[in-house]
Amino acid sequence: MRSFDFAPLYRSSVGFDQLANMMDRVLSTEGSQASYPPYNIEKTAEDAYRISIAVAGFSAEDLGIEVKENALIVTARNAGDTDEKTYLHRGIATRAFERRFHLADHVRVTGASHSDGMLHVDLEREIPEALKPRRIEIASGKQIEKDVVEAKAVN
């Protein structure tokens, strides 16, 4: 496994420490990431996403979804069979799990649904008005002079 030095990034930029930390986290857990349960992440619109997780054997009551500190945490507790069964082959896993997804700034969960053994979590990126591009009107020279004269009259 390769190790990357992010020192040059810290020396020449401000505010990118979260990006470096995220890359460090991804590189350190790349090979050890659990594959259960399987999931898809799809882009459904320009600023909308959907995470679909295969949760066969779990009811909606067995599942939990929580957003905490820019992380989406999906958990499932063991459904537990109420009656004892003898299996010749048990290929459907219903073991408890916790799956974490790190969310970017301004991404929020808009809803979740459970159907046909799939849990769907819908997300949307909402850019605040202060961060959206805005057009600045260019004043003509006469208008600037008028503002300067008014400012001098006040002082």
Side-chain angles (χ1 to χ4, degrees):
M1 168 136 200
R2 267 186 225 154
S3 177
F4 293 99
D5 182 20
F6 293 110
L9 180 66
Y10 292 130
R11 273 196 312 261
S12 61
S13 62
V14 177
F16 288 94
D17 52 329
Q18 290 178 342
L19 178 64
N21 290 340
M22 180 184 67
M23 290 175 66
D24 218 12
R25 184 177 57 243
V26 167
L27 292 173
S28 67
T29 61
E30 189 175 275
S32 64
Q33 184 74 352
S35 61
Y36 178 78
Y39 64 93
N40 293 333
I41 301 175
E42 62 182 297
K43 189 170 186 171
T44 56
E46 182 65 30
D47 287 320
Y49 306 89
R50 172 176 271 189
I51 298 173
S52 300
I53 305 172
V55 291
F58 291 99
S59 67
E61 292 78 30
D62 297 329
L63 301 168
I65 301 172
E66 182 181 9
V67 177
K68 182 179 177 182
E69 298 173 2
N70 280 4
L72 170 66
I73 305 165
V74 179
T75 57
R77 63 180 190 277
N78 195 347
D81 294 329
T82 55
D83 55 341
E84 296 204 15
K85 299 176 184 174
T86 304
Y87 291 96
L88 298 178
H89 171 73
R90 187 164 187 173
I92 301 172
T94 55
R95 61 184 182 267
F97 68 85
E98 179 179 290
R99 173 67 73 172
R100 290 178 176 265
F101 300 92
H102 294 277
L103 304 177
D105 292 337
H106 313 298
V107 172
R108 70 176 187 90
V109 176
T110 58
S113 63
H114 178 256
S115 65
D116 300 328
M118 296 293 289
L119 174 66
H120 301 286
V121 181
D122 295 315
L123 305 130
E124 186 174 336
R125 179 177 35 222
E126 291 182 345
I127 302 171
E129 286 296 321
L131 297 178
K132 289 184 179 176
R134 58 188 174 108
R135 184 167 178 83
I136 308 298
E137 293 297 324
I138 300 172
S140 66
K142 293 179 183 179
Q143 190 174 11
I144 292 173
E145 288 176 14
K146 180 180 177 189
D147 290 341
V148 171
V149 171
E150 288 177 6
K152 287 180 182 177
V154 172
N155 292 334

